[in-house]
Amino acid sequence: MPETARARRAPVASLLAAGLVLSGCVFQQSGEAGIDGPITLGFVNGGTTQFHTCLAESVEQFARYNRARIYTADSHQDAGTELSNIDDMIGREVDALIIQTVNVDALEDDIAKAKKAGVPVFLTSVLPEDTSDILGAVVVDLKKVGALDAQWIARDADGRSVQVGIVAGAPGAASDLLVGGFTKALPDSAEVVADQPGMFDPAKARQVAEDMIQAHPGLDYAFVANEEMAFAVRKAFDAAGAGDVRIVTVNGTDEGLAALKDGRFAATVANSAADTGELAVTNTIAMLRDEDTDKIANTRVRLVTKRTADTAPLYCPPDVG
């Protein structure tokens, strides 16, 4: 692995700079073959949706379980802020960076910056085309997630000609993969009549849904890129008298599962943020210690409906106090 400047540890006071969270135990010098003592990790998160929040909780929790020191920062869906956060982490001489990027286009600069500083990068959720410069990754097969929702629509529509609307997330990263997987797997009998970004913002998603149902009163299904937006979309449709539009979405949160049970959602695809965070930390540490593990791991995904809601995996890590 690239050499890092572990011997040049900053004073404790500088490690408590504003905007970063510190937890874990005191760093120790590494051994010759991998790191044999406590490890320092930096986690740069992309935003503040429920996914991002649960992912951060999981990363922090499993860093503590593994006796690692962890710094976290939030990029607020801004690529410039993400690069600045990475600069901050490099300045803290972390042993590795875990990055939930705001945009796949930002990764090239992120990885180059960390590589120049000798800091390995481990990614969550998405991958660059060239993985040679990263330590590893844990990803959700987002195309498969979208396809599972589309396949549910195909079964439910059963050959009928139907209209489908899409409320996407933020262009440029996970949302593009989700929507691409969804549209590719739709049956020929399903026509996509609207596709607009909700920017992972419930208020924006509700406005998009209001405009969508006004322009397409015959809408049968809506694919929404996460459950937070899906709740807002449901409210917009209901207010417009379109309570029969069936919503398929993504996440598998406790609130989302409850919405399946009471009929607000028709289907969701569970992709546990807790699982992603756990794999990110444990695999990063294993690689830093030269232990055998997969470079690219996958978070499990599964379609969940009202019938199977009680068997869905935990989305967020359990609160252990």
Side-chain angles (χ1 to χ4, degrees), residues 247 255-268 304-306 309:
I247 291 175
E255 297 85 355
L257 299 179
L260 288 176
K261 292 178 181 180
D262 65 23
R264 284 174 290 168
F265 299 163
T268 193
V304 186
T305 63
K306 180 177 182 178

Side-chain angles (χ1 to χ4, degrees), residues 141-270:
D141 187 342
L142 295 169
K143 291 181 180 179
K144 180 179 180 181
V145 170
L148 287 171
D149 272 332
Q151 290 162 8
W152 183 89
I153 288 176
R155 291 192 295 272
D156 190 65
D158 195 24
R160 293 181 295 114
S161 294
V162 294
Q163 293 185 0
V164 180
I166 297 172
V167 181
S175 177
D176 291 355
L177 296 172
L178 275 171
V179 172
F182 175 77
T183 55
K184 187 175 181 179
L186 281 173
D188 292 339
S189 58
E191 178 188 5
V192 176
V193 296
D195 181 354
Q196 294 294 323
M199 301 305 295
F200 295 119
D201 179 348
K204 173 67 173 175
R206 181 162 185 165
Q207 182 61 57
V208 167
E210 289 171 353
D211 294 342
M212 185 181 294
I213 199 62
Q214 183 174 359
H216 304 284
L219 196 68
D220 298 292
Y221 299 93
F223 171 69
V224 187
N226 74 6
E227 289 171 0
E228 287 179 273
M229 292 195 299
F231 283 110
V233 170
R234 177 79 276 160
K235 289 178 181 177
F237 288 166
D238 290 351
D244 57 346
V245 177
R246 311 199 77 180
I247 291 175
V248 296
T249 185
V250 177
N251 285 151
T253 63
D254 289 348
E255 297 85 355
L257 299 179
L260 288 176
K261 292 178 181 180
D262 65 23
R264 284 174 290 168
F265 299 163
T268 193
V269 178

Side-chain angles (χ1 to χ4, degrees), residues 2-5 8 83 86-87 90-91 94 97 107-121 133-134:
E3 182 181 0
T4 61
R8 295 181 287 106
L83 195 59
I86 289 169
D87 276 331
I90 291 170
V94 297
L97 270 168
L107 282 177
E108 183 176 353
D109 289 340
D110 296 344
I111 293 169
K113 173 78 70 173
K115 182 179 179 181
K116 184 176 180 180
V119 179
V121 168
D133 287 336
I134 64 171

Side-chain angles (χ1 to χ4, degrees), residues 49-94:
T49 68
Q50 187 168 12
F51 167 78
H52 292 99
T53 300
C54 292
L55 179 63
E57 289 174 358
S58 183
V59 167
E60 291 168 5
Q61 185 177 107
F62 282 95
R64 291 194 298 270
Y65 288 169
N66 285 277
R67 299 177 62 244
R69 171 179 283 172
I70 180 76
Y71 300 105
T72 69
D74 179 14
S75 300
H76 302 287
Q77 293 292 346
D78 181 80
T81 302
E82 180 169 287
L83 195 59
S84 177
N85 285 335
I86 289 169
D87 276 331
D88 287 342
M89 295 296 183
I90 291 170
R92 283 160 176 75
E93 298 174 346
V94 297

